[in-house]
Amino acid sequence: MTDPRLDGKKLILGVTGSIAAYKAAELVRLLVRAGAEVQPMMTADATRFIAPLTLGTLAKRQVLIQVFPENQDGSWTKHVDLGLWADGLVIAPATANTLAKLANGFCDSMLTATVLSARCAVLVCPAMDHDMWTHPATKANVDRLRSFGYTILDPERGELASGLIGVGRLPEPETIAAFIGEWLESRTQVNRSLEGKKVLVTAGPTREAIDPVRFLSNGSTGTMGFALADAAARRGADVVLLAGPVDLPTPAGVDREDVVSADDLHRAALNHADADLVIAAAAVADYAPATAGEQKMKKADEDLVLQLRRTPDVLAALGERKQNGQVLVGFALETRNGEANARGKLERKNLDWIVLNHANEAGAGFGTGTNRVVLLGADGSRHELPMMDKAAVAARLLDLITAQETAKE
Ligand SMILES: Cc1cc2nc3c(=O)[nH]c(=O)nc-3n(C[C@H](O)[C@H](O)[C@H](O)COP(=O)(O)O)c2cc1C
């Protein structure tokens, strides 16, 4: 099935000498099936892991390897032309060696020479052993590549070819293909689908004071909410971001208000209840200490029982006040009976959409750069997204929600 974000797009796919090179075959197949033209390039060491014939047959193009191919007629393939031809250049998998070469401007193969001369967007998907990935040299090289404007799709945590468990795994081809669609769209098209709309996003945890130095909270880092605020602003919306205590930079063009407790968030959210689209991604505490001591509590010999009170239900309050045409999106982080619980919350709180993520799944939920979510609609619809970078998840969620809401108008 073609994907409008990839259909007709010209991609160079660089493959390097990692054990994960076998995944490149499936990636080529998925990209070609989505409608992309794929020009494979391999480093010489990549050909020890997977045959050029495999990638060439799937891409229906000759695989390019050498800067100096020995053509009988004296012709040569111009890496500069290819760099101009492509809409995007993806390296998957990218070895530590190739990262080091690119960070230092080496161009001793067709792939590295093309990257250096490419004017198109570059996406690098590293794959390696955990210790290679966490080595300061690799970290410095990756930072350098980011500073060139290249996008890095971070490797995932899981079982590695070495037998160790750690970070370094190349994401599955489906995840990379979905990410490439998002990435290309954000790089090549101006999507202004939320122009003139006010969007309210809540993000991060809340802190409920026990005394002046202690609090109850949770492990939310705010990454998903910040990615949603960023994606909405890129689509032209006037975005208000209510942020709990998090350590994240404010996305460009976003109006940020910092809050601490569930009470603060409740008050601030009601001030912006006129938004056209409300996305409640904050992990709001359900309970707070009944009274917060004015002075630091002193340790005693006995056990301590904390009396807790219910905090205001921010999402339910917004649901009660929902105006005609307003779209309300909630998040559910569940550890069991995910879909049933999320659907219950959707109905109880008068939401239009709920995003379900699983707290006990590796690479999803709190504190990770990636997420795997299911979007459930009040109209009974269900959209399952693959594990993706949170920025890509945010973009996909906004696409799905805006497309369906526009269709209803
Ligand atoms: C079995 C095997 C698996 C390897 N897997 C990886 C890998 O996943 N990531 C990596 O950075 N290097 C890996 N290497 C090391 C690279 O192949 C080596 O550094 C090579 O020079 C990379 O060249 P290239 O970047 O030009 O493709 C592996 C080597 C072997 C023998």
Side-chain angles (χ1 to χ4, degrees):
M1 211 190 356
T2 55
D3 177 337
R5 297 163 311 168
L6 290 167
D7 197 13
K9 290 288 183 314
K10 301 185 187 80
L11 289 173
I12 293 172
L13 177 66
V15 180
T16 67
S18 152
I19 190 69
Y22 72 94
K23 291 187 180 174
E26 181 64 11
L27 181 58
V28 172
R29 206 177 64 83
L30 290 170
L31 294 172
V32 169
R33 201 168 56 180
E37 259 186 84
V38 181
Q39 171 60 65
M41 285 188 188
M42 297 175 81
T43 60
D45 283 343
T47 65
R48 292 166 172 260
F49 292 86
I50 178 171
L53 184 64
T54 309
L55 298 187
T57 308
L58 291 167
K60 300 186 186 74
R61 275 174 172 266
Q62 192 198 346
V63 176
L64 303 173
I65 300 167
Q66 311 287 350
V67 208
F68 300 105
E70 290 164 20
N71 290 337
Q72 302 281 329
D73 59 1
S75 68
W76 60 290
T77 314
K78 302 183 185 78
H79 52 274
V80 177
D81 288 354
L82 282 165
L84 295 175
W85 166 84
D87 296 307
L89 193 160
V90 179
I91 311 178
T95 54
N97 178 57
T98 292
L99 297 181
K101 284 187 181 178
L102 296 179
N104 291 287
F106 281 61
C107 44
D108 57 353
S109 70
M110 190 63 184
L111 176 61
T112 50
T114 307
V115 175
L116 206 61
S117 53
R119 287 199 192 155
C120 61
V122 176
L123 169 66
V124 181
C125 311
M128 63 199 72
D129 184 61
H130 178 89
D131 296 316
M132 292 169 85
W133 174 245
T134 51
H135 194 283
T138 305
K139 280 189 174 167
N141 290 333
V142 168
D143 286 347
R144 194 111 201 267
L145 297 182
R146 281 204 173 96
S147 76
F148 299 163
Y150 298 175
T151 305
I152 311 292
L153 178 61
D154 282 346
E156 292 177 353
R157 188 181 180 78
E159 196 181 333
L160 304 170
S162 57
L164 298 173
I165 306 277
V167 179
R169 252 174 89 94
L170 186 71
E172 292 306 314
E174 291 77 10
T175 307
I176 303 177
F179 186 85
I180 292 173
E182 282 308 327
W183 164 76
L184 261 191
E185 189 178 58
S186 68
R187 288 307 188 102
T188 56
Q189 267 182 29
V190 186
N191 176 345
R192 306 293 288 178
S193 55
L194 289 172
E195 189 91 65
K197 302 278 186 199
K198 176 171 175 179
V199 174
L200 172 66
V201 180
T202 71
T206 62
R207 282 185 186 170
E208 311 303 329
I210 297 172
D211 67 20
V213 296
R214 302 184 181 92
F215 52 80
L216 297 179
S217 191
N218 57 65
S220 168
T221 56
T223 317
M224 193 64 242
F226 273 59
L228 282 157
D230 183 36
R234 285 174 192 275
R235 284 161 169 72
D238 293 324
V239 183
V240 175
L241 171 62
L242 303 181
V246 294
D247 186 19
L248 291 173
T250 309
V254 166
D255 185 8
R256 170 174 174 175
E257 293 177 25
D258 285 330
V259 296
V260 176
S261 66
D263 287 327
D264 297 343
L265 183 63
H266 181 245
R267 260 191 308 274
L270 294 189
N271 280 340
H272 297 287
D274 60 340
D276 299 288
L277 170 63
V278 178
I279 306 176
V284 188
D286 294 326
Y287 294 93
T291 49
E294 278 183 21
Q295 305 299 328
K296 184 181 170 211
M297 276 168 59
K298 286 287 170 206
K299 181 165 59 187
D301 288 337
E302 305 82 51
D303 290 343
L304 173 72
V305 177
L306 266 184
Q307 173 86 29
L308 300 180
R309 66 174 167 87
R310 276 286 288 133
T311 53
D313 189 327
V314 180
L315 202 47
L318 291 168
E320 278 164 26
R321 288 164 180 76
K322 193 161 79 176
Q323 297 155 14
N324 247 350
Q326 187 181 46
V327 177
L328 197 50
V329 185
F331 268 71
L333 183 70
E334 302 289 345
T335 51
R336 62 178 168 170
N337 299 334
E339 296 215 16
N341 288 342
R343 281 233 172 259
K345 186 170 174 183
L346 176 96
E347 281 158 29
R348 261 193 335 274
K349 302 198 179 182
N350 193 22
L351 309 180
D352 300 283
W353 299 94
I354 194 152
V355 182
L356 166 66
N357 37 160
H358 303 273
N360 41 8
E361 186 178 328
F366 286 167
T368 69
T370 53
N371 209 359
R372 190 181 72 78
V373 303
V374 182
L375 176 68
L376 303 171
D379 56 0
S381 59
R382 179 183 187 283
H383 306 269
E384 190 164 346
L385 304 187
M387 181 83 74
M388 288 191 279
D389 181 82
K390 281 183 175 166
V393 174
R396 278 295 282 144
L397 288 175
L398 286 186
D399 282 351
L400 286 167
I401 291 167
T402 46
Q404 303 249 348
E405 295 301 331
T406 316
K408 283 187 205 162
E409 281 169 9

